[in-house]
mmCIF file of all heavy atoms in Angstrom:
data_model
loop_
_atom_site.group_PDB
_atom_site.id
_atom_site.type_symbol
_atom_site.label_atom_id
_atom_site.label_comp_id
_atom_site.label_asym_id
_atom_site.label_seq_id
_atom_site.Cartn_x
_atom_site.Cartn_y
_atom_site.Cartn_z
ATOM 1 N N ILE A 1 15.163 11.420 5.860
ATOM 2 C CA ILE A 1 13.933 10.592 5.623
ATOM 3 C C ILE A 1 13.568 9.709 6.776
ATOM 4 O O ILE A 1 14.411 9.163 7.401
ATOM 5 C CB ILE A 1 14.137 9.723 4.374
ATOM 6 C CG1 ILE A 1 14.396 10.532 3.101
ATOM 7 C CG2 ILE A 1 13.014 8.716 4.173
ATOM 8 C CD1 ILE A 1 13.162 11.373 2.726
ATOM 9 N N ASP A 2 12.285 9.629 7.056
ATOM 10 C CA ASP A 2 11.775 8.718 8.074
ATOM 11 C C ASP A 2 11.602 7.311 7.360
ATOM 12 O O ASP A 2 10.584 6.996 6.864
ATOM 13 C CB ASP A 2 10.469 9.229 8.609
ATOM 14 C CG ASP A 2 9.900 8.340 9.733
ATOM 15 O OD1 ASP A 2 10.358 7.187 9.886
ATOM 16 O OD2 ASP A 2 8.948 8.813 10.428
ATOM 17 N N TRP A 3 12.689 6.543 7.287
ATOM 18 C CA TRP A 3 12.724 5.298 6.550
ATOM 19 C C TRP A 3 11.739 4.290 7.033
ATOM 20 O O TRP A 3 11.058 3.603 6.223
ATOM 21 C CB TRP A 3 14.190 4.772 6.490
ATOM 22 C CG TRP A 3 15.078 5.614 5.698
ATOM 23 C CD1 TRP A 3 16.007 6.419 6.245
ATOM 24 C CD2 TRP A 3 15.113 5.783 4.323
ATOM 25 N NE1 TRP A 3 16.661 7.115 5.210
ATOM 26 C CE2 TRP A 3 16.078 6.758 4.039
ATOM 27 C CE3 TRP A 3 14.390 5.255 3.240
ATOM 28 C CZ2 TRP A 3 16.391 7.134 2.711
ATOM 29 C CZ3 TRP A 3 14.650 5.616 2.001
ATOM 30 C CH2 TRP A 3 15.672 6.549 1.721
ATOM 31 N N PRO A 4 11.554 4.115 8.371
ATOM 32 C CA PRO A 4 10.576 3.128 8.807
ATOM 33 C C PRO A 4 9.123 3.508 8.348
ATOM 34 O O PRO A 4 8.351 2.662 7.959
ATOM 35 C CB PRO A 4 10.667 3.095 10.293
ATOM 36 C CG PRO A 4 12.086 3.520 10.578
ATOM 37 C CD PRO A 4 12.383 4.562 9.459
ATOM 38 N N ALA A 5 8.766 4.834 8.374
ATOM 39 C CA ALA A 5 7.504 5.270 7.966
ATOM 40 C C ALA A 5 7.332 5.026 6.467
ATOM 41 O O ALA A 5 6.271 4.616 6.057
ATOM 42 C CB ALA A 5 7.303 6.762 8.309
ATOM 43 N N LEU A 6 8.385 5.280 5.697
ATOM 44 C CA LEU A 6 8.300 5.110 4.212
ATOM 45 C C LEU A 6 8.045 3.625 3.953
ATOM 46 O O LEU A 6 7.238 3.264 3.161
ATOM 47 C CB LEU A 6 9.529 5.600 3.497
ATOM 48 C CG LEU A 6 9.586 5.326 2.027
ATOM 49 C CD1 LEU A 6 8.420 5.963 1.268
ATOM 50 C CD2 LEU A 6 10.941 5.796 1.499
ATOM 51 N N ALA A 7 8.846 2.752 4.620
ATOM 52 C CA ALA A 7 8.635 1.297 4.386
ATOM 53 C C ALA A 7 7.253 0.839 4.745
ATOM 54 O O ALA A 7 6.675 0.068 4.018
ATOM 55 C CB ALA A 7 9.702 0.529 5.255
ATOM 56 N N ALA A 8 6.695 1.340 5.834
ATOM 57 C CA ALA A 8 5.348 1.009 6.267
ATOM 58 C C ALA A 8 4.317 1.420 5.223
ATOM 59 O O ALA A 8 3.404 0.622 4.885
ATOM 60 C CB ALA A 8 5.035 1.569 7.621
ATOM 61 N N VAL A 9 4.463 2.642 4.698
ATOM 62 C CA VAL A 9 3.524 3.099 3.649
ATOM 63 C C VAL A 9 3.642 2.260 2.393
ATOM 64 O O VAL A 9 2.632 1.827 1.813
ATOM 65 C CB VAL A 9 3.774 4.622 3.379
ATOM 66 C CG1 VAL A 9 3.050 5.018 2.065
ATOM 67 C CG2 VAL A 9 3.297 5.451 4.525
ATOM 68 N N LEU A 10 4.873 2.017 1.952
ATOM 69 C CA LEU A 10 5.083 1.178 0.763
ATOM 70 C C LEU A 10 4.483 -0.227 0.902
ATOM 71 O O LEU A 10 3.865 -0.765 0.018
ATOM 72 C CB LEU A 10 6.538 1.083 0.372
ATOM 73 C CG LEU A 10 7.162 2.415 -0.122
ATOM 74 C CD1 LEU A 10 8.692 2.143 -0.299
ATOM 75 C CD2 LEU A 10 6.557 2.859 -1.390
ATOM 76 N N ASP A 11 4.687 -0.789 2.050
ATOM 77 C CA ASP A 11 4.168 -2.160 2.348
ATOM 78 C C ASP A 11 2.663 -2.172 2.305
ATOM 79 O O ASP A 11 2.017 -3.085 1.781
ATOM 80 C CB ASP A 11 4.694 -2.666 3.688
ATOM 81 C CG ASP A 11 6.131 -3.078 3.632
ATOM 82 O OD1 ASP A 11 6.694 -3.213 2.559
ATOM 83 O OD2 ASP A 11 6.749 -3.219 4.743
ATOM 84 N N GLU A 12 2.056 -1.174 2.897
ATOM 85 C CA GLU A 12 0.605 -1.101 2.936
ATOM 86 C C GLU A 12 0.058 -0.884 1.562
ATOM 87 O O GLU A 12 -0.985 -1.479 1.124
ATOM 88 C CB GLU A 12 0.072 -0.015 3.929
ATOM 89 C CG GLU A 12 -1.413 -0.197 4.156
ATOM 90 C CD GLU A 12 -1.911 0.598 5.345
ATOM 91 O OE1 GLU A 12 -1.055 0.984 6.234
ATOM 92 O OE2 GLU A 12 -3.141 0.793 5.428
ATOM 93 N N ILE A 13 0.681 0.007 0.735
ATOM 94 C CA ILE A 13 0.265 0.211 -0.674
ATOM 95 C C ILE A 13 0.371 -1.123 -1.442
ATOM 96 O O ILE A 13 -0.532 -1.458 -2.153
ATOM 97 C CB ILE A 13 1.166 1.284 -1.278
ATOM 98 C CG1 ILE A 13 0.730 2.691 -0.758
ATOM 99 C CG2 ILE A 13 1.030 1.274 -2.814
ATOM 100 C CD1 ILE A 13 1.654 3.794 -1.182
ATOM 101 N N ALA A 14 1.487 -1.840 -1.245
ATOM 102 C CA ALA A 14 1.719 -3.087 -2.012
ATOM 103 C C ALA A 14 0.668 -4.155 -1.655
ATOM 104 O O ALA A 14 0.300 -4.995 -2.504
ATOM 105 C CB ALA A 14 3.097 -3.624 -1.734
ATOM 106 N N SER A 15 0.140 -4.094 -0.454
ATOM 107 C CA SER A 15 -0.885 -5.083 -0.055
ATOM 108 C C SER A 15 -2.280 -4.595 -0.378
ATOM 109 O O SER A 15 -3.256 -5.206 0.041
ATOM 110 C CB SER A 15 -0.729 -5.419 1.435
ATOM 111 O OG SER A 15 -1.085 -4.266 2.228
ATOM 112 N N GLY A 16 -2.369 -3.407 -1.105
ATOM 113 C CA GLY A 16 -3.747 -2.933 -1.483
ATOM 114 C C GLY A 16 -4.385 -2.076 -0.423
ATOM 115 O O GLY A 16 -5.589 -1.766 -0.525
ATOM 116 N N GLY A 17 -3.639 -1.706 0.596
ATOM 117 C CA GLY A 17 -4.232 -0.874 1.679
ATOM 118 C C GLY A 17 -4.373 0.575 1.295
ATOM 119 O O GLY A 17 -4.076 0.990 0.218
ATOM 120 N N ARG A 18 -4.895 1.331 2.270
ATOM 121 C CA ARG A 18 -5.085 2.757 2.102
ATOM 122 C C ARG A 18 -4.376 3.488 3.212
ATOM 123 O O ARG A 18 -5.019 4.067 4.079
ATOM 124 C CB ARG A 18 -6.609 3.070 2.156
ATOM 125 C CG ARG A 18 -7.387 2.377 1.024
ATOM 126 C CD ARG A 18 -8.865 2.644 1.111
ATOM 127 N NE ARG A 18 -9.249 4.049 1.235
ATOM 128 C CZ ARG A 18 -9.356 4.881 0.186
ATOM 129 N NH1 ARG A 18 -9.232 4.394 -1.044
ATOM 130 N NH2 ARG A 18 -9.675 6.142 0.376
ATOM 131 N N PRO A 19 -3.041 3.489 3.196
ATOM 132 C CA PRO A 19 -2.319 4.179 4.325
ATOM 133 C C PRO A 19 -2.435 5.722 4.291
ATOM 134 O O PRO A 19 -2.674 6.287 3.223
ATOM 135 C CB PRO A 19 -0.845 3.784 4.051
ATOM 136 C CG PRO A 19 -0.813 3.598 2.570
ATOM 137 C CD PRO A 19 -2.142 3.019 2.191
ATOM 138 N N PRO A 20 -2.306 6.294 5.435
ATOM 139 C CA PRO A 20 -2.242 7.779 5.437
ATOM 140 C C PRO A 20 -0.787 8.092 4.956
ATOM 141 O O PRO A 20 0.198 7.537 5.378
ATOM 142 C CB PRO A 20 -2.397 8.144 6.888
ATOM 143 C CG PRO A 20 -2.037 6.897 7.685
ATOM 144 C CD PRO A 20 -2.322 5.755 6.754
ATOM 145 N N VAL A 21 -0.729 9.025 3.995
ATOM 146 C CA VAL A 21 0.580 9.442 3.460
ATOM 147 C C VAL A 21 0.895 10.841 3.961
ATOM 148 O O VAL A 21 0.150 11.735 3.684
ATOM 149 C CB VAL A 21 0.531 9.461 1.888
ATOM 150 C CG1 VAL A 21 1.851 9.861 1.313
ATOM 151 C CG2 VAL A 21 0.146 8.031 1.326
ATOM 152 N N PRO A 22 2.025 10.961 4.686
ATOM 153 C CA PRO A 22 2.369 12.256 5.260
ATOM 154 C C PRO A 22 2.579 13.264 4.094
ATOM 155 O O PRO A 22 3.090 12.918 2.993
ATOM 156 C CB PRO A 22 3.692 12.029 5.970
ATOM 157 C CG PRO A 22 3.735 10.562 6.195
ATOM 158 C CD PRO A 22 2.976 9.942 5.041
ATOM 159 N N ARG A 23 2.255 14.542 4.361
ATOM 160 C CA ARG A 23 2.475 15.591 3.429
ATOM 161 C C ARG A 23 3.518 16.510 4.088
ATOM 162 O O ARG A 23 3.544 16.669 5.263
ATOM 163 C CB ARG A 23 1.172 16.391 3.121
ATOM 164 C CG ARG A 23 0.164 15.530 2.337
ATOM 165 C CD ARG A 23 -1.042 16.336 1.925
ATOM 166 N NE ARG A 23 -1.753 16.878 3.066
ATOM 167 C CZ ARG A 23 -2.566 17.846 3.076
ATOM 168 N NH1 ARG A 23 -2.860 18.426 1.933
ATOM 169 N NH2 ARG A 23 -3.209 18.287 4.127
ATOM 170 N N TYR A 24 4.283 17.175 3.220
ATOM 171 C CA TYR A 24 5.372 18.021 3.773
ATOM 172 C C TYR A 24 5.138 19.458 3.339
ATOM 173 O O TYR A 24 4.762 19.719 2.197
ATOM 174 C CB TYR A 24 6.710 17.493 3.185
ATOM 175 C CG TYR A 24 7.855 18.156 3.888
ATOM 176 C CD1 TYR A 24 8.322 17.714 5.183
ATOM 177 C CD2 TYR A 24 8.594 19.127 3.237
ATOM 178 C CE1 TYR A 24 9.391 18.304 5.796
ATOM 179 C CE2 TYR A 24 9.712 19.708 3.897
ATOM 180 C CZ TYR A 24 10.056 19.310 5.109
ATOM 181 O OH TYR A 24 11.107 19.878 5.727
ATOM 182 N N ASP A 25 5.327 20.366 4.242
ATOM 183 C CA ASP A 25 5.231 21.830 3.972
ATOM 184 C C ASP A 25 6.656 22.342 3.784
ATOM 185 O O ASP A 25 7.400 22.513 4.707
ATOM 186 C CB ASP A 25 4.556 22.481 5.170
ATOM 187 C CG ASP A 25 4.368 23.994 4.951
ATOM 188 O OD1 ASP A 25 5.113 24.605 4.185
ATOM 189 O OD2 ASP A 25 3.437 24.551 5.583
ATOM 190 N N PHE A 26 7.014 22.524 2.459
ATOM 191 C CA PHE A 26 8.352 22.935 2.172
ATOM 192 C C PHE A 26 8.673 24.334 2.575
ATOM 193 O O PHE A 26 9.836 24.689 2.777
ATOM 194 C CB PHE A 26 8.605 22.776 0.637
ATOM 195 C CG PHE A 26 8.666 21.317 0.222
ATOM 196 C CD1 PHE A 26 7.521 20.640 -0.228
ATOM 197 C CD2 PHE A 26 9.844 20.601 0.298
ATOM 198 C CE1 PHE A 26 7.597 19.332 -0.644
ATOM 199 C CE2 PHE A 26 9.930 19.303 -0.061
ATOM 200 C CZ PHE A 26 8.825 18.670 -0.500
ATOM 201 N N ALA A 27 7.704 25.187 2.684
ATOM 202 C CA ALA A 27 7.902 26.590 3.114
ATOM 203 C C ALA A 27 8.285 26.658 4.577
ATOM 204 O O ALA A 27 9.133 27.441 5.044
ATOM 205 C CB ALA A 27 6.717 27.449 2.840
ATOM 206 N N ARG A 28 7.740 25.728 5.432
ATOM 207 C CA ARG A 28 7.962 25.716 6.872
ATOM 208 C C ARG A 28 8.961 24.661 7.274
ATOM 209 O O ARG A 28 9.283 24.560 8.449
ATOM 210 C CB ARG A 28 6.646 25.562 7.633
ATOM 211 C CG ARG A 28 5.712 26.759 7.449
ATOM 212 C CD ARG A 28 4.455 26.667 8.232
ATOM 213 N NE ARG A 28 3.975 25.291 8.257
ATOM 214 C CZ ARG A 28 3.014 24.836 9.070
ATOM 215 N NH1 ARG A 28 2.503 25.637 9.950
ATOM 216 N NH2 ARG A 28 2.605 23.598 9.009
ATOM 217 N N HIS A 29 9.329 23.761 6.359
ATOM 218 C CA HIS A 29 10.293 22.665 6.653
ATOM 219 C C HIS A 29 9.796 21.704 7.703
ATOM 220 O O HIS A 29 10.523 21.254 8.588
ATOM 221 C CB HIS A 29 11.648 23.234 7.089
ATOM 222 C CG HIS A 29 12.283 24.203 6.087
ATOM 223 N ND1 HIS A 29 12.775 23.829 4.869
ATOM 224 C CD2 HIS A 29 12.349 25.554 6.112
ATOM 225 C CE1 HIS A 29 13.156 24.912 4.220
ATOM 226 N NE2 HIS A 29 12.912 25.930 4.960
ATOM 227 N N THR A 30 8.490 21.424 7.690
ATOM 228 C CA THR A 30 7.888 20.497 8.605
ATOM 229 C C THR A 30 6.787 19.706 7.902
ATOM 230 O O THR A 30 6.351 20.049 6.827
ATOM 231 C CB THR A 30 7.219 21.228 9.794
ATOM 232 O OG1 THR A 30 6.241 22.074 9.297
ATOM 233 C CG2 THR A 30 8.237 21.995 10.601
ATOM 234 N N ARG A 31 6.345 18.608 8.547
ATOM 235 C CA ARG A 31 5.255 17.826 7.991
ATOM 236 C C ARG A 31 3.965 18.678 8.125
ATOM 237 O O ARG A 31 3.777 19.356 9.143
ATOM 238 C CB ARG A 31 5.066 16.530 8.772
ATOM 239 C CG ARG A 31 6.042 15.489 8.288
ATOM 240 C CD ARG A 31 5.620 14.165 8.868
ATOM 241 N NE ARG A 31 6.626 13.162 8.519
ATOM 242 C CZ ARG A 31 6.760 11.981 9.052
ATOM 243 N NH1 ARG A 31 5.887 11.612 9.980
ATOM 244 N NH2 ARG A 31 7.696 11.190 8.683
ATOM 245 N N HIS A 32 3.113 18.538 7.161
ATOM 246 C CA HIS A 32 1.807 19.171 7.195
ATOM 247 C C HIS A 32 1.002 18.460 8.300
ATOM 248 O O HIS A 32 1.166 17.232 8.434
ATOM 249 C CB HIS A 32 1.189 19.088 5.839
ATOM 250 C CG HIS A 32 -0.054 19.889 5.663
ATOM 251 N ND1 HIS A 32 -1.264 19.482 6.157
ATOM 252 C CD2 HIS A 32 -0.262 21.059 5.074
ATOM 253 C CE1 HIS A 32 -2.177 20.383 5.829
ATOM 254 N NE2 HIS A 32 -1.603 21.408 5.210
ATOM 255 N N GLY A 33 0.135 19.149 8.959
ATOM 256 C CA GLY A 33 -0.626 18.546 10.013
ATOM 257 C C GLY A 33 -1.520 17.354 9.670
ATOM 258 O O GLY A 33 -1.687 16.427 10.389
ATOM 259 N N ARG A 34 -2.063 17.392 8.401
ATOM 260 C CA ARG A 34 -3.007 16.317 8.029
ATOM 261 C C ARG A 34 -2.489 15.534 6.873
ATOM 262 O O ARG A 34 -2.238 16.068 5.803
ATOM 263 C CB ARG A 34 -4.354 16.953 7.636
ATOM 264 C CG ARG A 34 -5.016 17.649 8.825
ATOM 265 C CD ARG A 34 -6.279 18.379 8.482
ATOM 266 N NE ARG A 34 -7.221 17.389 7.873
ATOM 267 C CZ ARG A 34 -8.313 17.726 7.243
ATOM 268 N NH1 ARG A 34 -8.618 18.983 7.122
ATOM 269 N NH2 ARG A 34 -9.129 16.791 6.728
ATOM 270 N N PRO A 35 -2.271 14.209 7.026
ATOM 271 C CA PRO A 35 -1.826 13.399 5.949
ATOM 272 C C PRO A 35 -2.950 13.228 4.950
ATOM 273 O O PRO A 35 -4.099 13.495 5.248
ATOM 274 C CB PRO A 35 -1.480 12.069 6.597
ATOM 275 C CG PRO A 35 -2.269 11.983 7.880
ATOM 276 C CD PRO A 35 -2.454 13.397 8.277
#
């Protein structure tokens, strides 16, 4: 897990923000290009 990225997303959500949330491509084992 990318823990700093997760913490940043959770913090922005908690403050009412609209963070980009990474998507994961499970078939290719990589992040999807567009969050």
Side-chain angles (χ1 to χ4, degrees):
I1 296 294
D2 182 345
W3 293 105
L6 176 59
V9 167
L10 291 175
D11 288 345
E12 193 165 342
I13 287 171
S15 68
R18 298 177 54 85
V21 178
R23 293 186 299 161
Y24 191 77
D25 182 333
F26 289 95
R28 296 184 319 167
H29 306 287
T30 59
R31 281 190 186 168
H32 190 280
R34 297 177 56 194

